[in-house]
Amino acid sequence: MSVTICQSMGFVVSALGIGGIIASTCMDQWSTQDLYNNPVTAVFNYQGLWRTCVRESSGFTECRGYFTILGLPAMFQAVRALMIVGIVLGILGLLVCIFALKCIRIGNMEDSAKANMTLTSGIMFIVAGLCAITGVSVFANMLVTNFWMSTANMYQGIQNVQNRYTFGSALFVGWVAGGLALIGGIMMCLACRGLIPEESRYKAVSYNASGRNISYRTGPYKVGSGYEPETKTRKGAGYEEAARSEDGRRSYPSKHDYV
């Protein structure tokens, strides 16, 4: 029961994380205009991974997409790639995890196969969460660098200073979603151990005795398995007992042996 609960909770948490990663990637509030020195403004700017938007005081919002790829910074494109990879891995992990759930029976699928699928989906969720966290962190580092550069130019009295941008809501959604996907992947990996059957986890090694038994000599003693034929010898002619023949029959001394 605990394995089923752990697996189900891991699936739910991972699904929430992947949904959050998709939402953060599609959101436009990755960076918002800093209003610290200009709290009253008629225009408010904010940017996302795919377009930049302008909202006026009248409530009208106009968005414009990035019509170039080569003109964007390399780090910006790297953030895009990381988020897309995280979404793809997360969706594949969800598809694999659905068939790996213990509460769902599909044909004659064994528990060992479900354990392997659970482990695979867990690794996918972990990688997807790491991709999302890395992408959001890289974008946040870019914002911090540009913010302090704009602040330094402002205090130096440089005119026509560009607007400063700070963290948007999409960054926090991405961090939380990546953490949820990471936690869900770890729970799936932990549930994998409980799905492995006991007979496959601890395989007993059987040793088959060979037909010919081997004796081991340690010093003056002889250690055998007890299957070798024993030869008894009596003193005196004619009383010597022969060994057993190969077909198992016993041979007795003839009358000539008593002469």
Side-chain angles (χ1 to χ4, degrees), residues 70 113 134 163:
L70 299 178
T134 304
N163 294 327

Side-chain angles (χ1 to χ4, degrees), residues 29 33 35 39-46 52-63:
Q29 290 82 14
Q33 183 179 355
L35 302 178
V40 179
T41 180
V43 178
F44 179 72
N45 300 320
Y46 55 92
T52 177
C53 300
V54 177
R55 185 177 64 196
E56 299 179 356
S57 58
S58 59
F60 178 76
T61 302
E62 181 181 0
C63 295

Side-chain angles (χ1 to χ4, degrees), residues 36-86:
Y36 177 75
N37 292 327
N38 190 14
V40 179
T41 180
V43 178
F44 179 72
N45 300 320
Y46 55 92
Q47 299 175 354
L49 292 180
W50 312 103
R51 59 182 183 175
T52 177
C53 300
V54 177
R55 185 177 64 196
E56 299 179 356
S57 58
S58 59
F60 178 76
T61 302
E62 181 181 0
C63 295
R64 181 181 179 183
Y66 301 115
F67 298 107
T68 179
I69 296 179
L70 299 178
L72 297 174
M75 298 299 293
F76 191 85
Q77 298 183 16
V79 172
R80 280 182 171 183
L82 287 172
M83 299 304 293
I84 292 175
V85 170

